[in-house]
Amino acid sequence: KLQFLYFIGVPTHYSLAKNMATSNGIFVAIRKRPLMRFERDKGGNDIIDTSPVQIYINEPKVRYDLTKYTEKHTFAFDRVFSDTEDNQTVFKEACRPLLETFLKGGTATCFAYGQTGSGKTHTMIGRKEDKGMYLLAAEEIFRQLRDRDVYIAFYEIYGRKIFDLLNERAKLVAREDADKNINICGLSEHRVNSVNALMQLMNTGGAQRSAGVTGMNADSSRSHAILRVELKQGGRKCGRLSFIDLAGNERGSDTMNCDRQTRVEGAEINKSLLALKECIRALGMGKNHVPFRGSILTEVLRDSFLGNSKTTMIANVSPSSTNCEHTLNTLRYTDRVKELKSDGKAKQRRPTAGRRGPAARNRDERGSGAAAAGNVGGNVDEEAMQIVRRLRPQITAEDGEDDDDVAVEVEKCYSHVASALSDAQEDLLVHYRRMLDTRVKIMLKETEAIQALDQGGVRDLDNFVSDIDTCLFKNIQSINEMRDRLAALKEQLRQEEVLGRSFKPTFRL
């Protein structure tokens, strides 16, 4: 097993945090949203305190003897925005440096991350009295624009598919060219000459984005949305700015009570978020190989991390005690992104109350694709354990780890089955279309054989029997192949159902 040591060194000045961002190449900010009235009505309290570079979580807990106590967690980032700071402040300190890189011909990327309902959409889109990052960036771009054209594209990554949000959700494909650049084939680009034109297209695309119902939200974003702004001069690209609104990172327990589609969506979302973290990690550690192929998201964003590039991640968190576990998961994920410096060494940390060990943190970082943290082996039925034992060698070979925790094993198995299910769906459609094409060709040959027999009579009977026998054999062969694929898919659906059913939320003290 790989073992990791965690230490803590907390910057005490904002200037130090700015130096950290410069040396790391990625600026990581946390934004706390205000406590909502409906959260107060549910008994939620504000459990978050902030300083310019630190965030403190006062987690309410209960001991085994039912006495209440508070566990304190401390995290440090480049910037922490309180619930009283508006979008203009966030833009000025977190996003304006991106525009400098963008307008000078570089690549700039801004990620919005967090659980559903934590304020990502407000940060990116805003409202009339508090403009979001999209609108503020557009105003700044057109204010400084000189002799260059602005083109935008807006697309989403839903599961393993890419859809053009500005072209009636046309399905797209990512291809690698001879220069190792990833191109999204068929993606429509639209030239805009004003802020209003850009916002109008953005609103049109936003209405096409995939959404679904989870335990956290009745209108949860189930896809990653990428708004790409490019500067061109004489048809040549001279700057790219991407705003990425990542899908909500609910825990498994918030999706397991939903239908199969929502559960599989959660697993795919979780897989892409982990792949994103691993890419940032590999880049920060200076590794020769960066696993961009770990997901469609990281594959299409590869250019955003290489060369003359700058990246900002804004993680949004809810202050409510009812969302404490989600908030801690978000902060732990973001903390792992920020820990990594360009020299490949993790920030030095000393243990603090509330810090959890490597296994627990790995479970938390998995977030939405599988079991809720805290599940124990007693909640997993025997049918699910049979599936775990069957898949264990394959999963251990894939990730190089052998977990002792049953809940973690079930979680990994569910993620594996969900990914395989997505692949099997695509494979089934491809082969079924191919089978239909083959059957059409066979029907044409059968028609020709019948016509030949009608015209030639008994003397052509041998040829007719031979031709029809060949056609029937090919039909039976293709049908049997399809039935084998359907049987394999039925087994995968059964495994998904069993593993999904095994996730039973437990009460944790």
Side-chain angles (χ1 to χ4, degrees):
K1 294 183 180 179
L2 294 177
Q3 299 291 332
F4 297 93
L5 296 177
Y6 295 89
F7 306 91
I8 185 161
V10 178
T12 56
H13 300 288
Y14 181 36
S15 59
L16 177 56
K18 292 174 72 175
N19 290 336
M20 288 165 58
T22 302
S23 65
N24 197 18
I26 177 170
F27 185 92
V28 180
I30 303 295
R31 189 178 192 191
K32 171 190 173 183
R33 70 157 170 78
L35 187 68
M36 302 297 183
R37 180 179 297 175
F38 75 88
E39 291 173 322
R40 290 194 185 95
D41 294 341
K42 290 181 178 180
N45 300 310
D46 189 339
I47 60 169
I48 295 180
D49 297 316
T50 63
S51 70
V53 294
Q54 291 178 323
I55 184 167
Y56 313 93
I57 312 298
N58 303 302
E59 182 184 9
K61 303 190 82 171
V62 181
R63 292 189 176 92
Y64 285 98
D65 61 3
L66 300 183
T67 58
K68 296 181 179 180
Y69 71 102
T70 299
E71 185 171 355
K72 296 184 180 294
H73 307 261
T74 301
F75 298 87
F77 297 97
D78 295 324
R79 183 70 163 90
V80 176
F81 297 99
S82 71
D83 53 349
T84 60
E85 294 177 281
D86 59 11
N87 281 340
Q88 186 70 48
T89 304
V90 176
F91 174 77
K92 180 180 178 181
E93 298 187 22
C95 291
R96 183 168 285 167
L98 297 178
L99 294 184
E100 296 174 5
T101 299
F102 167 63
L103 293 169
K104 291 178 181 178
T107 301
T109 307
C110 178
F111 292 95
Y113 175 72
Q115 74 174 95
T116 295
S118 61
K120 297 192 304 294
T121 301
H122 173 71
T123 298
M124 286 298 185
I125 299 177
R127 55 181 185 269
K128 188 174 182 180
E129 63 274 16
D130 190 18
K131 301 173 183 175
M133 301 301 108
Y134 292 158
L135 183 55
L136 292 170
E139 291 176 345
E140 190 75 18
I141 290 169
F142 283 103
R143 188 181 300 120
Q144 299 188 37
L145 196 62
R146 298 289 184 275
D147 302 324
R148 285 174 290 181
D149 298 322
V150 179
Y151 288 83
I152 75 161
F154 199 11
Y155 60 97
E156 73 169 356
I157 299 174
Y158 175 71
R160 299 188 178 190
K161 301 171 186 166
I162 307 174
F163 297 99
D164 191 340
L165 296 178
L166 298 179
N167 187 23
E168 299 180 345
R169 286 181 56 80
K171 189 176 178 181
L172 308 171
V173 179
R175 302 290 189 199
E176 187 176 48
D177 61 23
D179 297 324
K180 304 296 182 181
N181 297 317
I182 297 296
N183 300 299
I184 302 177
C185 303
L187 179 63
S188 63
E189 292 185 329
H190 303 259
R191 182 180 175 182
V192 292
N193 52 20
S194 68
V195 173
N196 288 337
L198 189 151
M199 293 305 296
Q200 192 172 20
L201 283 173
M202 192 206 71
N203 291 335
T204 300
Q208 299 290 322
R209 190 176 175 188
S210 298
V213 178
T214 70
M216 281 298 298
N217 199 325
D219 189 26
S220 173
S221 298
R222 310 307 293 158
S223 67
H224 307 302
I226 296 97
L227 176 67
R228 192 180 77 187
V229 184
E230 286 189 347
L231 296 181
K232 293 186 178 182
Q233 192 170 33
R236 184 178 61 87
K237 187 185 80 173
C238 52
R240 174 182 290 180
L241 173 65
S242 298
F243 286 100
I244 297 123
D245 186 1
L246 296 170
N249 65 327
E250 286 81 25
R251 300 167 303 169
S253 58
D254 295 316
T255 59
M256 287 305 152
N257 293 328
C258 302
D259 58 17
R260 173 180 287 123
Q261 179 179 341
T262 305
R263 294 196 300 264
V264 174
E265 285 172 350
E268 289 294 337
I269 290 168
N270 180 62
K271 182 178 179 180
S272 62
L273 292 176
L274 284 176
L276 175 62
K277 185 201 72 172
E278 289 305 316
C279 286
I280 295 174
R281 177 176 184 161
L283 288 167
M285 297 179 73
K287 290 186 176 181
N288 293 327
H289 172 69
V290 181
F292 288 117
R293 295 184 184 275
S295 74
I296 295 293
L297 175 67
T298 51
E299 200 168 349
V300 300
L301 294 178
R302 182 165 64 182
D303 294 344
S304 300
F305 297 104
L306 303 176
N308 180 21
S309 64
K310 185 171 288 188
T311 303
T312 289
M313 177 176 282
I314 304 174
N316 298 264
V317 294
S318 163
S320 175
S321 54
T322 58
N323 291 328
C324 183
E325 189 171 353
H326 293 283
T327 296
L328 286 171
N329 287 344
T330 297
L331 292 173
R332 286 170 181 139
Y333 177 95
T334 314
D335 190 49
R336 289 294 293 129
V337 170
K338 187 57 203 169
E339 272 182 350
L340 305 161
K341 292 186 176 182
S342 57
D343 60 3
K345 297 178 181 179
K347 291 189 299 184
Q348 286 195 339
R349 295 179 169 269
R350 61 177 179 273
T352 66
R355 290 276 170 184
R356 304 174 70 180
R361 291 185 69 167
N362 284 340
R363 286 197 297 275
D364 290 330
E365 287 167 355
R366 289 188 181 99
S368 62
N375 281 341
V376 294
N379 281 340
V380 181
D381 59 33
E382 180 57 31
E383 192 176 6
M385 285 308 302
Q386 289 177 1
I387 297 173
V388 170
R389 285 190 285 269
R390 194 181 312 139
L391 296 177
R392 182 180 289 152
Q394 185 177 352
I395 292 173
T396 301
E398 287 177 358
D399 62 15
E401 296 181 3
D402 187 10
D403 288 288
D404 297 326
D405 191 317
V406 174
V408 175
E409 280 199 298
V410 175
E411 180 178 347
K412 287 183 177 181
C413 286
Y414 184 88
S415 180
H416 174 84
V417 169
S419 295
L421 203 55
S422 299
D423 291 339
Q425 177 184 332
E426 290 293 316
D427 185 67
L428 182 69
L429 290 175
V430 168
H431 282 85
Y432 199 80
R433 290 191 183 102
R434 192 176 298 165
M435 187 188 79
L436 292 177
D437 290 340
T438 301
R439 287 176 64 184
V440 169
K441 293 177 182 177
I442 291 173
M443 288 176 65
L444 291 174
K445 288 186 177 181
E446 288 173 332
T447 302
E448 292 173 359
I450 291 171
Q451 290 174 348
L453 183 62
D454 283 341
Q455 294 173 3
V458 177
R459 67 170 183 242
D460 289 327
L461 187 57
D462 289 339
N463 292 334
F464 174 79
V465 170
S466 176
D467 291 343
I468 293 299
D469 185 59
T470 301
C471 291
L472 290 175
F473 175 79
K474 289 182 178 178
N475 267 329
I476 292 171
Q477 189 178 37
S478 63
I479 290 171
N480 285 337
E481 288 178 0
M482 184 52 59
R483 292 194 67 182
D484 290 341
R485 292 182 184 279
L486 287 173
L489 183 58
K490 283 181 181 178
E491 173 59 19
Q492 289 173 326
L493 290 171
R494 186 191 71 82
Q495 291 177 354
E496 191 281 333
E497 188 70 31
V498 170
L499 293 173
R501 189 176 65 235
S502 71
F503 296 119
K504 299 174 183 176
T506 58
F507 176 72
R508 287 198 307 153
L509 297 177

